[in-house]
Amino acid sequence: MQRRLAAILAADVVGYSRLMGADEMGTLTALKSHRRELVDSTIAEHHGRIVKTTGDGMLLEFASVVDAVSCAVHIQRSMVRRNASIPPEKQIVFRIGINLGDIIIDGDDIFGDGVNIAARLETLCEPGGVCISRAANDQIRDKLSIAFADLGEQAVKNISRTVGVFGLAARDIEALPASVASAVGDASPAPAMPYEQEIHFCQARDGVQLAYARIGHGPPLVKTGHWMTHLEFDFENPIWRHLYRELSRDHAFYRYDARGNGLSDREVPHVEFDDFVDDLEAVVDAAGIERFDLLGISQGCAVSIAYAVRHPERVSHLILHGGYAVGWKKRARTEAEKQAGEAMVTLMRVGWGQENPAFRQMFTTQFVPGATKEQADWFNELQRISSSSADAARNLVANGDADVTALLSQVRVPTLVMHARHDARVPFESGRRMAAGIPGARFVPIESQNHVMLEGEPGLERFLEEMRAFLATDAGITK
């Protein structure tokens, strides 16, 4: 079974049992007519897939939340017109719930909390309206000219956490101006990426399933996995997509979700630093890459160093950004620093997976203090979608125990080290010391306060400029 991020739409008919009891044949005929003349074609036009039908209901999957919401609004608005001449007691009226979440694929069927939440939202919806989750609302907020009312956090059946609910009432849908309704009905997804992403799966040494992806063409460039990634979600958000598009412009760009993250196996009980190095080995072997440039970001730097020492014959160039040789736990100099790190782990276990992003906001301000509100909201959601609270805590603990200091002098690969001068997550000094320990490494300070480089900031342009110049050299000799 595989996982992916998807927009899930659940719909059913209001009062279906009553309608069937009053006029079984008339109800079935009317429902089939609505399906044939409106619903099925609208789903196809908005690039949706019918997963299954259940008499009066159906479950749909969309790659885009914009498409899912546009489809729902178009159906509900059209049903108002179709019901105009029908007595109220015979009208077919839908309720629709939409969620953006991680799903499990089993054949043609889908499962998981992402599906369950969509189904619960549908039950909370008023007749003729649309209810969506907070995650879905964040996606459409600046893309569709419609505003859903914030209905607050609500407890729903069989879901351990509360769910942020946003609603669009039937009267609001009916009152949409013709120009807005037309724009919503014709909404299409964001422009396609220049290259189609290929996602594959492989197995690590201990049996953990890892998801990896390739995009673009050219010399191979591999990015080492780290926490808070999701192979599908990353290309939808303004945190990573700009960097990945740039990196895939001139390369066959490979990346993967680390264990416990994204599409790779979740709830992995065993997570240690050596596992991360083994996972990198498994991915490049499965991808069939013999020699490649290796990019490490944040915790991926230590993993990349360990791999380059194990396999110097396979790494052409080593690029490290925002990293460290010694993890947070081992580099803590005072008891207060150790306690602060442990408090972060506790906070992660308690608040990471909650719908309310208040707990995750602290991590966001450390990673991207220069983010806009939209970027910060995306980063909050990336944390929740990319891993569970338990998996995130395991990753953080494993990172804290990392120490590749003894390996630095053994690196025999041309190395470029970069670090944001005002990095609030990993101290600038950690990057400088890491570079000083690697023979011949070049160190470049980046003028930024962000641990994760953001689109439009000068630091990102400097990073790309330095990396491209470095990769155009062979062992320090310009080609």
Side-chain angles (χ1 to χ4, degrees), residues 19-20 22-32:
L19 290 167
M20 289 291 285
D23 183 1
E24 186 175 87
M25 287 304 298
T27 299
L28 289 174
T29 300
L31 186 54
K32 287 183 178 181

Side-chain angles (χ1 to χ4, degrees), residues 109-241:
D109 210 348
I110 57 177
F111 303 93
D113 276 359
V115 177
N116 296 337
I117 290 174
R120 301 308 175 205
L121 290 169
E122 173 255 299
T123 63
L124 294 173
C125 185
E126 73 165 52
V130 179
C131 268
I132 65 176
S133 64
R134 183 181 302 279
N137 188 69
D138 288 343
Q139 300 301 307
I140 68 162
R141 189 168 46 198
D142 300 320
K143 301 179 181 70
L144 294 177
S145 300
I146 51 177
F148 282 72
D150 189 345
L151 305 181
E153 300 285 324
Q154 300 196 32
V156 296
K157 184 179 178 182
N158 295 332
I159 301 297
S160 58
R161 63 182 184 276
T162 59
V163 176
V165 181
F166 290 74
L168 191 64
R171 62 180 179 277
D172 298 326
I173 294 174
E174 188 176 1
L176 284 174
S179 58
V180 173
S182 177
V184 170
D186 294 339
S188 57
M193 293 180 296
Y195 306 108
E196 187 68 25
Q197 178 174 231
E198 301 174 3
I199 296 179
H200 304 274
F201 291 84
C202 66
Q203 186 167 291
R205 184 179 302 176
D206 60 357
V208 172
Q209 295 288 328
L210 302 169
Y212 68 95
R214 169 184 166 155
I215 183 171
H217 302 280
L221 171 63
V222 177
K223 174 179 166 290
T224 301
H226 52 77
W227 68 331
M228 285 192 292
T229 66
H230 194 298
L231 291 182
E232 291 182 313
F233 188 70
D234 288 346
F235 265 115
E236 295 184 15
N237 72 67
I239 303 301
W240 290 115
R241 68 186 177 199

Side-chain angles (χ1 to χ4, degrees), residues 52-125:
K52 58 186 172 185
T53 58
T54 56
D56 67 318
M58 62 174 56
L59 184 67
L60 312 178
E61 178 191 358
F62 295 81
S64 161
V65 182
V66 173
D67 273 345
V69 174
S70 299
C71 178
V73 172
H74 182 76
I75 289 173
Q76 295 292 50
R77 186 175 173 85
S78 298
M79 286 302 297
V80 173
R81 295 194 300 270
R82 295 175 70 89
N83 281 324
S85 60
I86 299 174
E89 67 274 11
K90 293 186 177 182
Q91 291 180 0
I92 301 288
V93 179
F94 295 110
R95 292 180 300 194
I96 299 177
I98 298 173
N99 179 45
L100 171 68
D102 200 51
I103 60 173
I104 300 170
I105 303 97
D106 185 7
D108 292 330
D109 210 348
I110 57 177
F111 303 93
D113 276 359
V115 177
N116 296 337
I117 290 174
R120 301 308 175 205
L121 290 169
E122 173 255 299
T123 63
L124 294 173
C125 185

